Amino acid sequence: MKISLNGMRFYAYHGFYEVEQKVGGWYSVDVTAEPTIKEAGKDDELSQTINYEIIYNTVKTEMSKKSKLIEHVALRTLHALEQTLPTATALTVRIHKLNPPLGGEVKEAVVEIQNY
């Protein structure tokens, strides 16, 4: 079983260039987690699965911390999720930097990290 929270949007101040850290930009974050409990829906209890609210709040906290590289944000977020989701056996974090300032039209730059 996999649980995903996709398209979490945040305005954040990540970027190598000073202007990116001052002006900021939009980011989208996807997280996929695999709970250790394979029959999470059987008992209809939140304690038997992964709480979406914990995922969202953890990502929100990490996105609010300025970083030069989204690779750093992704790794930091993965480590924070490992701490807050002890029932997850596998985690994937994807950070989409929307409309990166590259001098041309680019929809997004994406970094993905997994712990398995």
Side-chain angles (χ1 to χ4, degrees):
M1 176 187 307
K2 291 183 181 182
I3 295 172
S4 296
L5 207 55
N6 296 322
M8 295 177 273
R9 287 180 54 97
F10 302 95
Y11 199 86
Y13 299 87
H14 308 308
F16 179 77
Y17 298 105
E18 188 175 330
V19 68
E20 292 177 286
Q21 292 194 4
K22 286 183 179 178
V23 175
W26 284 102
Y27 295 80
S28 178
V29 181
D30 307 324
V31 172
T32 300
E34 294 184 33
T36 55
I37 301 165
K38 298 299 181 196
E39 296 183 20
K42 183 178 177 183
D43 296 330
D44 202 25
E45 294 292 330
L46 183 59
S47 63
Q48 298 295 310
T49 190
I50 293 172
N51 187 332
Y52 309 150
E53 187 176 16
I54 292 171
I55 294 173
Y56 179 83
N57 287 332
T58 302
V59 173
K60 181 180 176 183
T61 296
E62 295 307 319
M63 288 299 292
S64 71
K65 301 173 187 174
K66 285 186 182 182
S67 292
K68 291 180 182 175
L69 303 175
I70 58 174
E71 292 88 337
H72 180 71
V73 180
L75 182 61
R76 191 179 62 229
T77 302
L78 179 71
H79 290 317
L81 288 167
E82 288 172 333
Q83 297 300 310
T84 58
L85 301 173
T87 61
T89 58
L91 289 162
T92 301
V93 174
R94 285 179 57 105
I95 299 181
H96 308 253
K97 183 174 188 171
L98 307 178
N99 303 309
L102 298 174
E105 188 174 328
V106 178
K107 181 181 176 184
E108 61 188 3
V110 181
V111 170
E112 179 176 311
I113 188 168
Q114 303 167 335
N115 72 343
Y116 55 91

